[in-house]
Amino acid sequence: MAELGKGGVSAGKLAINVQKKFTRAQEKVLQKLGKADETKDEQFEQCVQNFNKQLGEGTKLQKDLRAYLNAVKAMQDASKKMSEFLHDVYEQEWEGKTEMSTVTENIDLLWADYHQKLVDQALLTMDTYLGQFPDIKSRIAKRGRKLVDYDSARHHFEYLQHAKKKDETKIAKAEEELTKAQKVFEEINFDLQEELPSLWNSRVGFYVNTFQSIAGLEENFHKEMSKLNQNLNNAVLKLEQQQASGNVSEEKESSNVGPQEVATSSSPLTSPEAKNINHEPASSLPVELPPFGEIPKSPSQTSESAPDNSEPVQTTTGTLEDDTSAVATSSLPAVVAETLPVTTTATVNDSTCDVTDVPPGFLYKVQVQHDYNAADSDELLLKAGDVVLVVEYENPDEQDEGWLMGIKESDWIQDKDFSKHRGVFPENFTERI
């Protein structure tokens, strides 16, 4: 006979398959209608129920595990972006730059290693475990078909045996088909009867190994991550200490301030110009000076004098008055001689005000950068722009890290009651001025 299709299936083979399907369908209909009994194995049916339950649990676990791995991957990507941002904003001159770069790189490598180990030790094992189910499932379906064939052959044999006109040839053939169907069915059934209970019992060991692997990997991951986070925290603490000591701002300011600005920012009594004016002889100045008699005296030179409690002014005034002979030969220009005592006195007066008009133990001033609501009775309520006078703690052991003691300048100016208005406040809400 001619072969049909590329698979080489003959017309006879095709007819046999069609006949089998028809016979099975007919047998099922008769069984559902109750006109034919059905061979049942309750123990095997229980094994099939366990198999389907085990397959459903394994499929759900595989799905959840993939979702867990996707979450780990998302965390890895988010952590990498955070590390890249920190690396970009961390300036080169900041303390801990090298340590920070090393730690962030190791954090990214740790995430990648954790994800890969989860894939190798959990997901691939899960895939191998579930890989055995499709074959067993197809064999269970085949057993069901062979059971129908066996029931159909059995019913046909019984029918021929109870027929009024017995045909021994047909009976013998029917018996042969029954024996063949029974043999095929029992072979498949025997194998499944052994495999299904064993597969069902294997689930416990598989779950134990899987979750032990996941728990162990996660435990090691968090231990290593904790160490890296501690190292990162130490690097950032170095930057905080550098900022608290003023090194960060000073380095930046020193790189931007020019020679003229540095000279201007010096105090009047310690700047090079003041030293030259007050202490250097006039002969060192690159100016031709008129005779001493032609220099008009300034009223401020005779009428104004520095306070008694200001030692620098007394020294300066004494130098000017006692050094009359030096000025007689070569003196300063009139405008310089006239304005010198005024400038010196004003400077000293300001210094005197700063010394006397501050609370006891005064250290320096800070300006509030952000509003701060006091959380306790001993804390200051601060608004952005307030100026606070920082003072020493009476007992240094009571000072907490990152907190300062002081009084708002407005309260101090108003009634000078330090004990009433003093309080503590967070240092990182202020900036030193």
Side-chain angles (χ1 to χ4, degrees), residues 80-97:
K80 186 175 182 180
K81 290 180 180 178
M82 290 288 292
S83 299
E84 290 175 351
F85 172 80
L86 182 59
H87 185 273
D88 292 340
V89 301
Y90 215 99
E91 298 182 9
Q92 193 64 36
E93 66 273 10
W94 289 359
E95 188 73 22
K97 172 70 173 180

Side-chain angles (χ1 to χ4, degrees), residues 38-52:
E38 180 181 1
T39 301
K40 291 186 177 180
D41 187 344
E42 294 182 357
Q43 182 179 358
F44 183 82
E45 290 178 358
Q46 182 63 45
C47 290
V48 173
Q49 290 180 6
N50 293 340
F51 172 83
N52 292 330

Side-chain angles (χ1 to χ4, degrees), residues 21 61 70 88 95 102 109 111 127 135 139 143-144 150 184 190 205 225 234 261 299 324 354 377 388 396 413 426:
K21 291 182 179 180
L61 177 58
N70 291 335
D88 292 340
E95 188 73 22
T102 303
L109 292 176
W111 274 109
D127 293 341
D135 177 65
R139 289 163 59 194
R143 175 195 178 275
Y150 168 73
V184 173
F190 179 78
M225 184 61 72
N234 293 337
E261 294 173 330
T324 306
D354 289 341
S377 59
V388 183
I413 295 175

Side-chain angles (χ1 to χ4, degrees), residues 125-263:
T125 306
M126 186 80 222
D127 293 341
T128 303
Y129 170 74
L130 289 178
Q132 58 189 330
F133 283 83
D135 177 65
I136 297 178
K137 186 176 182 180
S138 65
R139 289 163 59 194
I140 292 174
K142 185 177 180 180
R143 175 195 178 275
R145 295 193 299 269
K146 296 305 178 182
L147 179 60
V148 175
D149 292 343
Y150 168 73
D151 285 341
S152 178
R154 180 169 58 83
H155 293 152
H156 181 61
F157 176 71
E158 291 175 355
Y159 172 76
L160 293 177
Q161 279 186 327
H162 296 87
K164 292 180 179 180
K165 294 182 179 181
K166 295 184 179 180
D167 189 338
E168 296 298 333
T169 305
K170 291 183 178 180
I171 292 175
K173 186 177 180 181
E175 185 178 5
E176 181 181 353
E177 291 178 354
L178 175 61
T179 303
K180 182 179 179 181
Q182 183 179 3
K183 181 180 179 181
V184 173
F185 168 74
E186 288 180 350
E187 287 179 355
I188 299 177
N189 185 66
F190 179 78
D191 293 339
L192 291 175
Q193 289 280 10
E194 288 187 347
E195 291 182 25
L196 289 178
S198 177
L199 179 64
W200 172 250
N201 294 331
S202 69
R203 76 193 191 283
V204 178
F206 170 76
Y207 293 153
V208 170
N209 293 334
T210 300
F211 283 98
Q212 277 184 343
S213 298
I214 295 175
L217 290 173
E218 188 167 351
E219 180 183 8
N220 292 334
F221 168 78
H222 286 300
K223 283 182 179 179
E224 295 299 324
M225 184 61 72
S226 176
K227 295 178 182 177
L228 292 175
N229 286 332
Q230 183 62 44
N231 294 338
L232 181 61
N233 184 52
N234 293 337
V236 176
L237 281 177
K238 291 182 180 178
L239 175 61
E240 182 183 15
Q241 294 171 359
Q242 183 186 20
Q243 192 273 339
S245 63
N247 291 338
V248 174
S249 58
E250 288 176 4
E251 288 177 3
K252 221 166 185 184
E253 289 174 2
S254 62
S255 62
N256 295 329
V257 176
Q260 182 62 32
E261 294 173 330
V262 172

Side-chain angles (χ1 to χ4, degrees), residues 351-400:
S351 175
T352 303
C353 292
D354 289 341
V355 172
T356 59
D357 196 22
V358 293
F362 170 75
L363 298 175
Y364 54 86
K365 294 182 180 181
V366 295
Q367 187 173 35
V368 180
Q369 304 298 311
H370 311 284
D371 293 350
Y372 177 73
N373 294 324
D376 206 344
S377 59
D378 64 341
E379 297 181 7
L380 295 180
L381 175 64
L382 304 176
K383 298 293 183 182
D386 288 350
V387 175
V388 183
L389 307 178
V390 181
V391 299
E392 297 177 344
Y393 273 77
E394 295 180 357
N395 185 0
D397 295 335
E398 297 179 356
Q399 182 174 4
D400 296 327

